[in-house]
Amino acid sequence: MGRNIVEKILYNHVVEGQLEKGTTVGIKIDRTLTQDSTGTMAYLQLEAMGIDKVKTKQSVAYIDHNMLQQGFENADDHRFIQTVANKYGIYFSKPGNGICHQVNLERFSVPGETLLGSDSHTPTAGGVGMLAIGAGGLDVALAMAGEPYYIEVPKVVKVELTGKLNSMVSSKDIILEVLKRETVKGGVGKIYEYGGDGLKNLSVPQRATITNMGAELGATTSIFPSDEKTKEYFEAQGRLSDWSELIADDDAIYDDIIKIDLGELVPMVAAPHSPDNIKSCSEVGEIKVDQVAIGSCTNSSYEDLMKVSRILKGRKVADDVSLVIAPGSRQVMEMIAKNGALADIISSGARILENSCGPCIGMGQSPGTDAVSIRTFNRNFYGRSGTNSAQVYLSSPEVAAVSAIYGKLTDPRNIDFDVDFEDITIDKFLIDDSMIISPSENPQNVEVVRGPNIKPFPLNTKLEDVLSGKVIIKTDDNITTDHIMPSNAKLLPYRSNIPYLSKFSFSTIDENFSDRAIENNGGFIVGGENYGQGSSREHAALAPLYLGIKGVIAKSFARIHKANLINSGIIPMEFENDEDYNLVDQEDYNLVDQMDDILIENVLEGITKGRMKIVNKTKNTSFYVSTKFNDKEIEMLKFGGKLNSIKLKNTAEGTNA
Ligand code: MIC
Ligand code: SF4
């Protein structure tokens, strides 16, 4: 029987378990990446593992998120990461070298290999046929220590692309179409594998835009074949020796197939406040625009910025629009500087930012009150821009650039000037890896430098058999990790200081969550569908842990956040699907309210048997939740998290510190 691409890579990497759907397997991780806002924590955890050197083929630490240095904190974190990297055999990509996913694609991606990254957009490398997965920092630290990464064998969905994109329709519109059909929770437990004759017209950077934003589907990852187009890219990056062909067998089997005729797509946007709130530009209409931001790991490639420069050349940004542009890497910035495209961009009135995440993670450029911001990014969650009242639309670079000129959301097919992208091809990228620092050859002499803002990470205690407490917050569906642990220029410097950070947990939607949790000695969170979607930040589990949260009861969970909760020893519980037990629909979620008193007895039995009874003492009612975990997860929960379970499983002691 033929194999699809995902199966081919998994077969070569499974080191524990059998490749059967619904079961958990351990896979060998070839390479890892970290970035600075999750990296500090990941490296503190790596240090706690007591190894001398990473055991991967290659691990790279990037600095790209916390780039504003308004105080000593970010610079201290950069120095900590650089010295840890130097000591433990990790390559270090200096601040200014670019966004981790863009630089990884350019310089380190390898078709057919596995990559684990402490960032949810790690799947970007799927654009070259790499099985690239985002995870919490602790899981990445474990992968660096040589441990397998455990995943539930995912369903593989084929996305069959046929035909050719029309002029001014972009690969961003392909992923927006997939999001429209599948929604932000449609991808949980799935990998999207792209195929079909439409691929022959899609370059690697265009493919990477799609795999990047595939994260917004909640998918484990997305992947393209490694074909002639991929070969061209590796050749142009001077890395042909890293390239190999990887294509699905003709008789490969998929769990589902989605068909998209590229010729039928039109320019679209994701309207506020969700990446799956997809509308065509004409549906939204020509709304007035205040800000346009071009960049992020989704759309900041050389190809993207060349298109933008062609649109802007000889034209001016509208008087009341602020256009900001952040190239994805130094390679991109230097190339457009050398060929004059940057001059065209600057002369249009655009503001040039450094090669980093920038406004995508609220590191500056927050829009004004009620402002409309068009961004080429991948997330427009409520409050993520740093301005709660802002209306953020996600679009292609083409839509963004023309909207900046006209001052209103504009379908780029309706412009009144000519622009030609045909000759934007590249057969040789500018190669200069001097901002990637190799690790020390004398690691024993390297001293790890720690700033005063770096605080120890919180550890849970051994699981108790009776848990009780109040529901500290009850949320709606699709709560993001940006809600649970917001990130912006003010908070990102404290990613290695959980006590401080925890004060701001849920602050965009509920300013009193943290105080309430402390006053009530912690308790529980009740959530809706897809709880914890978005970022891989384990801070969204560590801050609640620090505040005493013992469990989260939700309708369903996003993959990475669920793993982060378990890693922290917080129990994720799902409102039971009543059909499983032939129960009358009790609408259990509707019957629990904030500040209700919850009691759970026989917790240890509950996590082993997969079902637990929740008593609502306030309402004098009870309901069941599903607590199905694999053996490893049960062990982690019992011992109070993954690090405790690693340290203590042999003694069967657990901490009660
Ligand atoms: C994001 O895009 O939300 C981030 C910031 O890159 C996060 C990582 C983080 O929170 O540090 C992600 O995507 O995982
Ligand atoms: Fe950085 Fe934004 Fe990409 Fe996250 S999504 S890695 S913040 S550019």
Side-chain angles (χ1 to χ4, degrees), residues 35 37-38 65 101 118-121 297 357 360-361 378-379 384 481-482 487 492 495 534-537 539 560:
Q35 39 89 339
S37 63
T38 53
H65 281 64
H101 308 303
S118 65
D119 190 282
S120 64
H121 291 103
C297 54
C357 300
C360 180
I361 190 56
N378 47 35
R379 290 184 173 146
R384 181 175 163 101
T481 48
D482 277 306
S487 274
L492 271 166
R495 280 294 184 91
S535 153
S536 66
R537 65 190 71 143
H539 307 75
I560 307 179

PDB file of all heavy atoms in Angstrom, residues 35 37-38 65 101 118-121 297 357 360-361 378-379 384 481-482 487 492 495 534-537 539 560, ligand 1:
ATOM      1  N   GLN A  35      12.752  30.363  20.053  1.00  0.00           N
ATOM      2  CA  GLN A  35      12.889  31.820  19.907  1.00  0.00           C
ATOM      3  C   GLN A  35      12.990  32.391  21.318  1.00  0.00           C
ATOM      4  O   GLN A  35      12.820  31.659  22.291  1.00  0.00           O
ATOM      5  CB  GLN A  35      11.744  32.397  19.061  1.00  0.00           C
ATOM      6  CG  GLN A  35      10.378  31.783  19.307  1.00  0.00           C
ATOM      7  CD  GLN A  35       9.594  32.446  20.397  1.00  0.00           C
ATOM      8  OE1 GLN A  35      10.169  33.111  21.239  1.00  0.00           O
ATOM      9  NE2 GLN A  35       8.289  32.252  20.399  1.00  0.00           N
ATOM     10  N   SER A  37      11.173  34.490  23.226  1.00  0.00           N
ATOM     11  CA  SER A  37      10.121  34.689  24.225  1.00  0.00           C
ATOM     12  C   SER A  37       9.673  33.369  24.859  1.00  0.00           C
ATOM     13  O   SER A  37       9.075  33.362  25.921  1.00  0.00           O
ATOM     14  CB  SER A  37       8.942  35.478  23.649  1.00  0.00           C
ATOM     15  OG  SER A  37       8.335  34.784  22.616  1.00  0.00           O
ATOM     16  N   THR A  38       9.947  32.266  24.203  1.00  0.00           N
ATOM     17  CA  THR A  38       9.704  30.970  24.861  1.00  0.00           C
ATOM     18  C   THR A  38      11.041  30.321  25.231  1.00  0.00           C
ATOM     19  O   THR A  38      11.081  29.391  26.029  1.00  0.00           O
ATOM     20  CB  THR A  38       8.956  30.001  23.920  1.00  0.00           C
ATOM     21  OG1 THR A  38       9.673  29.923  22.699  1.00  0.00           O
ATOM     22  CG2 THR A  38       7.537  30.456  23.655  1.00  0.00           C
ATOM     23  N   HIS A  65      11.752  37.942  18.857  1.00  0.00           N
ATOM     24  CA  HIS A  65      10.502  38.462  19.415  1.00  0.00           C
ATOM     25  C   HIS A  65      10.724  39.700  20.299  1.00  0.00           C
ATOM     26  O   HIS A  65      10.186  40.758  20.033  1.00  0.00           O
ATOM     27  CB  HIS A  65       9.812  37.391  20.267  1.00  0.00           C
ATOM     28  CG  HIS A  65       9.071  36.358  19.488  1.00  0.00           C
ATOM     29  ND1 HIS A  65       9.682  35.487  18.630  1.00  0.00           N
ATOM     30  CD2 HIS A  65       7.754  36.032  19.457  1.00  0.00           C
ATOM     31  CE1 HIS A  65       8.768  34.683  18.098  1.00  0.00           C
ATOM     32  NE2 HIS A  65       7.593  34.992  18.586  1.00  0.00           N
ATOM     33  N   HIS A 101      11.317  31.484  11.849  1.00  0.00           N
ATOM     34  CA  HIS A 101      10.769  30.601  10.805  1.00  0.00           C
ATOM     35  C   HIS A 101      11.299  30.950   9.418  1.00  0.00           C
ATOM     36  O   HIS A 101      11.506  30.080   8.583  1.00  0.00           O
ATOM     37  CB  HIS A 101       9.237  30.651  10.828  1.00  0.00           C
ATOM     38  CG  HIS A 101       8.692  30.406  12.195  1.00  0.00           C
ATOM     39  ND1 HIS A 101       8.983  29.264  12.891  1.00  0.00           N
ATOM     40  CD2 HIS A 101       7.922  31.159  13.016  1.00  0.00           C
ATOM     41  CE1 HIS A 101       8.404  29.324  14.086  1.00  0.00           C
ATOM     42  NE2 HIS A 101       7.760  30.465  14.185  1.00  0.00           N
ATOM     43  N   SER A 118       9.779  25.703  19.702  1.00  0.00           N
ATOM     44  CA  SER A 118       8.971  26.269  20.788  1.00  0.00           C
ATOM     45  C   SER A 118       8.249  27.512  20.266  1.00  0.00           C
ATOM     46  O   SER A 118       8.340  28.600  20.840  1.00  0.00           O
ATOM     47  CB  SER A 118       9.839  26.600  21.997  1.00  0.00           C
ATOM     48  OG  SER A 118      10.762  27.622  21.691  1.00  0.00           O
ATOM     49  N   ASP A 119       7.550  27.319  19.189  1.00  0.00           N
ATOM     50  CA  ASP A 119       6.749  28.379  18.602  1.00  0.00           C
ATOM     51  C   ASP A 119       5.719  27.704  17.717  1.00  0.00           C
ATOM     52  O   ASP A 119       6.044  26.777  16.963  1.00  0.00           O
ATOM     53  CB  ASP A 119       7.620  29.333  17.773  1.00  0.00           C
ATOM     54  CG  ASP A 119       6.833  30.561  17.381  1.00  0.00           C
ATOM     55  OD1 ASP A 119       6.029  30.472  16.433  1.00  0.00           O
ATOM     56  OD2 ASP A 119       6.980  31.606  18.040  1.00  0.00           O
ATOM     57  N   SER A 120       4.488  28.175  17.781  1.00  0.00           N
ATOM     58  CA  SER A 120       3.405  27.465  17.087  1.00  0.00           C
ATOM     59  C   SER A 120       3.522  27.533  15.564  1.00  0.00           C
ATOM     60  O   SER A 120       2.893  26.751  14.862  1.00  0.00           O
ATOM     61  CB  SER A 120       2.056  28.009  17.538  1.00  0.00           C
ATOM     62  OG  SER A 120       1.938  29.353  17.147  1.00  0.00           O
ATOM     63  N   HIS A 121       4.325  28.480  15.050  1.00  0.00           N
ATOM     64  CA  HIS A 121       4.452  28.559  13.590  1.00  0.00           C
ATOM     65  C   HIS A 121       5.637  27.780  13.027  1.00  0.00           C
ATOM     66  O   HIS A 121       6.016  27.956  11.854  1.00  0.00           O
ATOM     67  CB  HIS A 121       4.454  30.029  13.137  1.00  0.00           C
ATOM     68  CG  HIS A 121       3.107  30.645  13.353  1.00  0.00           C
ATOM     69  ND1 HIS A 121       2.839  31.490  14.396  1.00  0.00           N
ATOM     70  CD2 HIS A 121       1.937  30.446  12.712  1.00  0.00           C
ATOM     71  CE1 HIS A 121       1.549  31.812  14.374  1.00  0.00           C
ATOM     72  NE2 HIS A 121       0.982  31.188  13.356  1.00  0.00           N
ATOM     73  N   CYS A 297       6.235  36.169  10.160  1.00  0.00           N
ATOM     74  CA  CYS A 297       6.730  34.924   9.573  1.00  0.00           C
ATOM     75  C   CYS A 297       5.818  34.406   8.466  1.00  0.00           C
ATOM     76  O   CYS A 297       6.169  33.474   7.756  1.00  0.00           O
ATOM     77  CB  CYS A 297       6.929  33.873  10.661  1.00  0.00           C
ATOM     78  SG  CYS A 297       5.468  33.584  11.668  1.00  0.00           S
ATOM     79  N   CYS A 357       9.716  39.968  14.655  1.00  0.00           N
ATOM     80  CA  CYS A 357       8.262  39.783  14.733  1.00  0.00           C
ATOM     81  C   CYS A 357       7.540  41.124  14.829  1.00  0.00           C
ATOM     82  O   CYS A 357       6.471  41.311  14.267  1.00  0.00           O
ATOM     83  CB  CYS A 357       7.904  38.956  15.958  1.00  0.00           C
ATOM     84  SG  CYS A 357       8.649  37.320  15.959  1.00  0.00           S
ATOM     85  N   CYS A 360       3.553  42.078  15.077  1.00  0.00           N
ATOM     86  CA  CYS A 360       2.771  40.835  15.088  1.00  0.00           C
ATOM     87  C   CYS A 360       2.532  40.356  16.512  1.00  0.00           C
ATOM     88  O   CYS A 360       1.510  39.756  16.821  1.00  0.00           O
ATOM     89  CB  CYS A 360       3.495  39.765  14.274  1.00  0.00           C
ATOM     90  SG  CYS A 360       2.620  38.211  14.240  1.00  0.00           S
ATOM     91  N   ILE A 361       3.501  40.627  17.392  1.00  0.00           N
ATOM     92  CA  ILE A 361       3.333  40.201  18.784  1.00  0.00           C
ATOM     93  C   ILE A 361       3.190  41.427  19.696  1.00  0.00           C
ATOM     94  O   ILE A 361       3.457  41.375  20.903  1.00  0.00           O
ATOM     95  CB  ILE A 361       4.476  39.227  19.194  1.00  0.00           C
ATOM     96  CG1 ILE A 361       4.198  38.565  20.540  1.00  0.00           C
ATOM     97  CG2 ILE A 361       5.845  39.871  19.131  1.00  0.00           C
ATOM     98  CD1 ILE A 361       2.884  37.833  20.616  1.00  0.00           C
ATOM     99  N   ASN A 378      -0.620  36.435  10.719  1.00  0.00           N
ATOM    100  CA  ASN A 378      -1.433  35.215  10.777  1.00  0.00           C
ATOM    101  C   ASN A 378      -2.477  35.216  11.891  1.00  0.00           C
ATOM    102  O   ASN A 378      -3.305  34.330  11.968  1.00  0.00           O
ATOM    103  CB  ASN A 378      -0.520  33.984  10.915  1.00  0.00           C
ATOM    104  CG  ASN A 378       0.536  34.185  11.995  1.00  0.00           C
ATOM    105  OD1 ASN A 378       0.280  34.809  13.004  1.00  0.00           O
ATOM    106  ND2 ASN A 378       1.733  33.657  11.765  1.00  0.00           N
ATOM    107  N   ARG A 379      -2.407  36.179  12.804  1.00  0.00           N
ATOM    108  CA  ARG A 379      -3.357  36.171  13.927  1.00  0.00           C
ATOM    109  C   ARG A 379      -3.932  37.562  14.142  1.00  0.00           C
ATOM    110  O   ARG A 379      -3.180  38.541  14.167  1.00  0.00           O
ATOM    111  CB  ARG A 379      -2.665  35.726  15.223  1.00  0.00           C
ATOM    112  CG  ARG A 379      -2.318  34.275  15.186  1.00  0.00           C
ATOM    113  CD  ARG A 379      -1.721  33.767  16.474  1.00  0.00           C
ATOM    114  NE  ARG A 379      -1.587  32.328  16.339  1.00  0.00           N
ATOM    115  CZ  ARG A 379      -0.617  31.598  16.875  1.00  0.00           C
ATOM    116  NH1 ARG A 379       0.282  32.170  17.637  1.00  0.00           N
ATOM    117  NH2 ARG A 379      -0.579  30.310  16.680  1.00  0.00           N
ATOM    118  N   ARG A 384      -4.493  41.403  20.582  1.00  0.00           N
ATOM    119  CA  ARG A 384      -3.116  40.986  20.293  1.00  0.00           C
ATOM    120  C   ARG A 384      -2.254  42.140  19.774  1.00  0.00           C
ATOM    121  O   ARG A 384      -1.048  42.168  19.994  1.00  0.00           O
ATOM    122  CB  ARG A 384      -3.141  39.824  19.296  1.00  0.00           C
ATOM    123  CG  ARG A 384      -1.759  39.284  18.942  1.00  0.00           C
ATOM    124  CD  ARG A 384      -1.903  38.054  18.057  1.00  0.00           C
ATOM    125  NE  ARG A 384      -0.679  37.740  17.369  1.00  0.00           N
ATOM    126  CZ  ARG A 384       0.182  36.790  17.720  1.00  0.00           C
ATOM    127  NH1 ARG A 384      -0.061  36.032  18.765  1.00  0.00           N
ATOM    128  NH2 ARG A 384       1.277  36.569  17.029  1.00  0.00           N
ATOM    129  N   THR A 481      -4.325  31.645  23.751  1.00  0.00           N
ATOM    130  CA  THR A 481      -3.295  31.828  24.776  1.00  0.00           C
ATOM    131  C   THR A 481      -2.954  33.315  24.904  1.00  0.00           C
ATOM    132  O   THR A 481      -2.386  33.726  25.901  1.00  0.00           O
ATOM    133  CB  THR A 481      -2.034  31.001  24.460  1.00  0.00           C
ATOM    134  OG1 THR A 481      -1.690  31.210  23.108  1.00  0.00           O
ATOM    135  CG2 THR A 481      -2.262  29.534  24.695  1.00  0.00           C
ATOM    136  N   ASP A 482      -3.316  34.115  23.900  1.00  0.00           N
ATOM    137  CA  ASP A 482      -3.155  35.568  24.036  1.00  0.00           C
ATOM    138  C   ASP A 482      -4.134  36.122  25.077  1.00  0.00           C
ATOM    139  O   ASP A 482      -3.872  37.158  25.685  1.00  0.00           O
ATOM    140  CB  ASP A 482      -3.392  36.282  22.700  1.00  0.00           C
ATOM    141  CG  ASP A 482      -2.148  36.267  21.818  1.00  0.00           C
ATOM    142  OD1 ASP A 482      -1.090  36.691  22.272  1.00  0.00           O
ATOM    143  OD2 ASP A 482      -2.252  35.801  20.668  1.00  0.00           O
ATOM    144  N   SER A 487       0.580  38.956  25.507  1.00  0.00           N
ATOM    145  CA  SER A 487       1.964  39.324  25.172  1.00  0.00           C
ATOM    146  C   SER A 487       1.958  40.673  24.501  1.00  0.00           C
ATOM    147  O   SER A 487       1.175  40.895  23.589  1.00  0.00           O
ATOM    148  CB  SER A 487       2.539  38.322  24.180  1.00  0.00           C
ATOM    149  OG  SER A 487       3.073  37.235  24.859  1.00  0.00           O
ATOM    150  N   LEU A 492       6.214  41.158  27.450  1.00  0.00           N
ATOM    151  CA  LEU A 492       7.187  40.181  26.937  1.00  0.00           C
ATOM    152  C   LEU A 492       8.516  40.172  27.706  1.00  0.00           C
ATOM    153  O   LEU A 492       9.104  39.108  27.877  1.00  0.00           O
ATOM    154  CB  LEU A 492       7.416  40.383  25.439  1.00  0.00           C
ATOM    155  CG  LEU A 492       6.438  39.585  24.564  1.00  0.00           C
ATOM    156  CD1 LEU A 492       6.468  40.081  23.130  1.00  0.00           C
ATOM    157  CD2 LEU A 492       6.732  38.101  24.601  1.00  0.00           C
ATOM    158  N   ARG A 495       8.909  37.212  30.400  1.00  0.00           N
ATOM    159  CA  ARG A 495       8.659  35.814  30.073  1.00  0.00           C
ATOM    160  C   ARG A 495       9.459  34.858  30.960  1.00  0.00           C
ATOM    161  O   ARG A 495       9.170  33.680  31.036  1.00  0.00           O
ATOM    162  CB  ARG A 495       8.971  35.549  28.600  1.00  0.00           C
ATOM    163  CG  ARG A 495       7.865  35.993  27.635  1.00  0.00           C
ATOM    164  CD  ARG A 495       6.616  35.168  27.845  1.00  0.00           C
ATOM    165  NE  ARG A 495       5.569  35.484  26.895  1.00  0.00           N
ATOM    166  CZ  ARG A 495       5.389  34.884  25.727  1.00  0.00           C
ATOM    167  NH1 ARG A 495       6.210  33.934  25.357  1.00  0.00           N
ATOM    168  NH2 ARG A 495       4.400  35.237  24.953  1.00  0.00           N
ATOM    169  N   GLY A 534      -3.825  28.929  19.530  1.00  0.00           N
ATOM    170  CA  GLY A 534      -2.839  29.969  19.229  1.00  0.00           C
ATOM    171  C   GLY A 534      -1.436  29.584  19.635  1.00  0.00           C
ATOM    172  O   GLY A 534      -0.967  28.482  19.345  1.00  0.00           O
ATOM    173  N   SER A 535      -0.803  30.496  20.342  1.00  0.00           N
ATOM    174  CA  SER A 535       0.619  30.387  20.659  1.00  0.00           C
ATOM    175  C   SER A 535       0.965  29.131  21.446  1.00  0.00           C
ATOM    176  O   SER A 535       0.151  28.568  22.162  1.00  0.00           O
ATOM    177  CB  SER A 535       1.006  31.621  21.476  1.00  0.00           C
ATOM    178  OG  SER A 535       2.099  31.341  22.311  1.00  0.00           O
ATOM    179  N   SER A 536       2.251  28.756  21.337  1.00  0.00           N
ATOM    180  CA  SER A 536       2.758  27.592  22.077  1.00  0.00           C
ATOM    181  C   SER A 536       3.194  27.977  23.486  1.00  0.00           C
ATOM    182  O   SER A 536       3.652  27.127  24.232  1.00  0.00           O
ATOM    183  CB  SER A 536       3.966  27.032  21.338  1.00  0.00           C
ATOM    184  OG  SER A 536       5.016  27.987  21.380  1.00  0.00           O
ATOM    185  N   ARG A 537       3.060  29.255  23.856  1.00  0.00           N
ATOM    186  CA  ARG A 537       3.663  29.720  25.118  1.00  0.00           C
ATOM    187  C   ARG A 537       3.182  28.898  26.312  1.00  0.00           C
ATOM    188  O   ARG A 537       1.996  28.839  26.610  1.00  0.00           O
ATOM    189  CB  ARG A 537       3.397  31.221  25.321  1.00  0.00           C
ATOM    190  CG  ARG A 537       1.954  31.600  25.516  1.00  0.00           C
ATOM    191  CD  ARG A 537       1.762  33.118  25.459  1.00  0.00           C
ATOM    192  NE  ARG A 537       1.931  33.603  24.103  1.00  0.00           N
ATOM    193  CZ  ARG A 537       1.219  34.581  23.558  1.00  0.00           C
ATOM    194  NH1 ARG A 537       0.320  35.237  24.264  1.00  0.00           N
ATOM    195  NH2 ARG A 537       1.411  34.956  22.308  1.00  0.00           N
ATOM    196  N   HIS A 539       3.720  29.676  29.178  1.00  0.00           N
ATOM    197  CA  HIS A 539       3.353  30.663  30.207  1.00  0.00           C
ATOM    198  C   HIS A 539       1.841  30.664  30.428  1.00  0.00           C
ATOM    199  O   HIS A 539       1.387  31.021  31.510  1.00  0.00           O
ATOM    200  CB  HIS A 539       3.836  32.042  29.766  1.00  0.00           C
ATOM    201  CG  HIS A 539       5.292  32.043  29.408  1.00  0.00           C
ATOM    202  ND1 HIS A 539       5.757  31.501  28.236  1.00  0.00           N
ATOM    203  CD2 HIS A 539       6.373  32.476  30.089  1.00  0.00           C
ATOM    204  CE1 HIS A 539       7.067  31.608  28.202  1.00  0.00           C
ATOM    205  NE2 HIS A 539       7.467  32.188  29.312  1.00  0.00           N
ATOM    206  N   ILE A 560      -1.498  22.153  21.541  1.00  0.00           N
ATOM    207  CA  ILE A 560      -0.268  22.494  22.271  1.00  0.00           C
ATOM    208  C   ILE A 560      -0.600  22.921  23.697  1.00  0.00           C
ATOM    209  O   ILE A 560       0.086  22.555  24.647  1.00  0.00           O
ATOM    210  CB  ILE A 560       0.536  23.608  21.557  1.00  0.00           C
ATOM    211  CG1 ILE A 560       0.799  23.246  20.100  1.00  0.00           C
ATOM    212  CG2 ILE A 560       1.856  23.859  22.280  1.00  0.00           C
ATOM    213  CD1 ILE A 560       1.575  24.313  19.311  1.00  0.00           C
TER     214      ILE A 560
HETATM  215  C1  MIC B   1       2.850  34.012  18.521  1.00  0.00           C
HETATM  216  O1  MIC B   1       2.835  34.198  17.311  1.00  0.00           O
HETATM  217  O2  MIC B   1       1.825  34.035  19.223  1.00  0.00           O
HETATM  218  C2  MIC B   1       4.179  33.733  19.195  1.00  0.00           C
HETATM  219  C3  MIC B   1       4.510  34.918  20.005  1.00  0.00           C
HETATM  220  O3  MIC B   1       5.174  33.573  18.229  1.00  0.00           O
HETATM  221  C4  MIC B   1       4.022  32.476  20.032  1.00  0.00           C
HETATM  222  C5  MIC B   1       5.175  32.183  20.898  1.00  0.00           C
HETATM  223  C6  MIC B   1       5.182  32.983  22.155  1.00  0.00           C
HETATM  224  O4  MIC B   1       4.131  33.212  22.746  1.00  0.00           O
HETATM  225  O5  MIC B   1       6.263  33.373  22.562  1.00  0.00           O
HETATM  226  C7  MIC B   1       3.704  31.222  19.223  1.00  0.00           C
HETATM  227  O6  MIC B   1       3.172  31.324  18.147  1.00  0.00           O
HETATM  228  O7  MIC B   1       3.926  30.108  19.707  1.00  0.00           O
END
